[in-house]
Amino acid sequence: MAMTFTLNNGVTMPALGFGVFQTPPDETVAAVETALRTGYRHIDTAAAYGNERQVGEAVRRSGLARSEIFLETKIWISDYGYDATLHAFDKSAGKLGVEQIDLLILHQALPGRFELTVDAYRALETLLGDGRVRAIGVSNFMREHLDKLRKETSVVPAVNQIEIHPYFTQPDVLAADAEHGILSQAWSPIGGITFYRDSGHTSTLEDATIARIAQEHGKSPAQVMLRWGMQHGRSLIPKSTNPQRIAENFDVFDFELTTEELAAIDALDTGVRGGPDPEAVTLETFGLNIPEA
Ligand code: NDP
């Protein structure tokens, strides 16, 4: 199993990253330091998470060279627009304390204001051209958003970060990503969103099929879900603040699921998303002030 991905512009990204959504700022330094000690070299944060500063602090405290760590962050919708998004880069880079961001993505499409989304993406293209970011991409983009973006911009997104776990696999978006040469990156790769969202299904951690497969391999349900995503060729960014689980989620390189096991997990898809409907995201309902650095 490859330990890295080569993105569509040649940049290398670690296969398994570390997420910090809902990690409180006062726990983020410890969580990220633990992750870096464990061996993770890719951190996924976002302007909207309010913890970029702490991610940057952990990177500095780790003693690792900046070039050894792949930093990904996201522009929030409130900062869309060409100039606003250029400035949003300064805010994120300032908080992270870095000159260059490895992967900068748009957090959501704004379907009702797609021209703003396009302007934001054009700013990412400028930042890429200037070398201030090494790769650019999107998140929560559906097939039609990718199609519309492609018509108006020139750089194909390197990644599309979307909700993917055994209960929601979005085959149509995965196919659209593949058609465009975009790497699909799974958020909630162990189904975190199913733990607290009432989507008509229970937590993926309590799934009987996943539990059976986990038992057969002497691994945990979380490890089986990560291995499943990995063998499907997806980028993964599991989140934890617990040192034991941070280590557990990284210990997924020493076993292999069979074709039958992969298919059994694929069959768990309910078609019901846990996160917000990407079509319903508007500035009015999801707007958020992103502070200056
Ligand atoms: P995950 O699938 O990573 O699950 C996280 C949850 O699982 C937490 O409650 C965590 O609790 C728990 N957990 C972690 N490891 C284990 C384990 N081994 N066994 C049992 N429970 C475990 O969900 P997230 O929603 O956090 O998604 C991961 C990342 O994806 C985010 O952190 C963020 O970076 C990104 N994301 C992006 C979104 C977007 O719109 N682009 C939306 C949502 C997430 P504990 O911390 O206590 O271990």
Side-chain angles (χ1 to χ4, degrees):
M1 184 60 48
M3 298 286 283
T4 58
F5 289 108
T6 301
L7 303 177
N8 61 16
N9 67 350
V11 165
T12 300
M13 183 178 84
L16 184 60
F18 183 72
V20 296
F21 175 47
Q22 291 176 327
T23 301
D26 64 355
E27 295 177 39
T28 301
V29 175
V32 174
E33 272 196 290
T34 302
L36 293 172
R37 258 199 314 274
T38 304
Y40 296 80
R41 290 292 179 269
H42 168 192
I43 312 295
D44 175 69
T45 182
Y49 298 169
N51 56 18
E52 289 173 308
R53 210 178 289 285
Q54 289 75 18
V55 168
E57 179 63 27
V59 167
R60 284 186 295 281
R61 285 198 201 178
S62 74
L64 291 163
R66 171 69 191 90
S67 60
E68 287 185 58
I69 302 172
F70 191 95
L71 285 178
E72 174 174 2
T73 192
K74 316 183 189 81
I75 307 281
W76 189 240
I77 53 173
S78 308
D79 284 336
Y80 284 7
Y82 187 78
D83 292 332
T85 299
L86 287 180
H87 183 59
F89 166 85
D90 294 333
K91 292 198 268 187
S92 285
K95 288 172 194 166
L96 287 163
V98 299
E99 299 284 319
Q100 189 188 48
I101 290 170
D102 298 285
L103 175 58
L104 186 62
I105 67 179
L106 300 184
H107 207 141
Q108 300 276 351
L110 269 178
R113 300 288 308 278
F114 206 78
E115 75 291 352
L116 262 186
T117 313
V118 169
D119 287 345
Y121 194 80
R122 290 200 176 117
L124 298 191
E125 291 181 320
T126 296
L127 292 163
L128 183 69
D130 291 349
R132 283 182 285 175
V133 302
R134 298 173 65 225
I136 61 176
V138 295
S139 175
N140 299 305
F141 270 47
M142 303 294 98
R143 178 184 280 278
E144 59 274 23
H145 305 140
L146 294 172
D147 286 341
K148 282 169 80 174
L149 187 73
R150 188 171 51 148
K151 291 203 181 90
E152 303 199 52
T153 59
S154 51
V155 178
V156 177
V159 309
N160 185 14
Q161 183 183 121
I162 56 173
E163 178 179 349
I164 313 175
H165 48 73
Y167 286 170
F168 192 60
T169 59
Q170 314 209 56
D172 181 53
V173 184
L174 292 176
D177 287 348
E179 285 160 28
H180 291 109
I182 300 169
L183 177 66
S184 300
Q185 185 172 60
W187 65 252
S188 270
I190 59 176
I193 191 117
T194 68
F195 305 174
Y196 54 88
R197 281 280 189 131
D198 181 16
S199 307
H201 49 63
T202 51
S203 158
T204 50
L205 279 180
E206 286 153 27
D207 187 88
T209 300
I210 296 169
R212 171 179 58 75
I213 296 170
Q215 205 170 14
E216 278 160 16
H217 288 275
K219 288 283 180 177
S220 71
Q223 289 172 320
V224 165
M225 287 188 264
L226 292 171
R227 189 69 207 182
W228 164 78
M230 199 173 271
Q231 286 184 223
H232 275 309
R234 292 167 205 147
S235 162
L236 311 169
I237 44 169
K239 172 265 176 190
S240 181
T241 48
N242 174 290
Q244 196 189 319
R245 290 192 286 275
I246 290 172
E248 178 184 322
N249 296 344
F250 202 69
D251 181 20
V252 292
F253 294 97
D254 64 349
F255 72 113
E256 185 98 19
L257 299 176
T258 64
T259 310
E260 292 73 31
E261 288 168 336
L262 292 176
I265 302 172
D266 291 341
L268 299 175
D269 188 14
T270 65
V272 181
R273 73 169 72 249
D277 178 357
E279 272 307 313
V281 173
T282 65
L283 284 168
E284 291 67 33
T285 46
F286 288 92
L288 189 67
N289 177 51
I290 303 298
E292 296 296 325

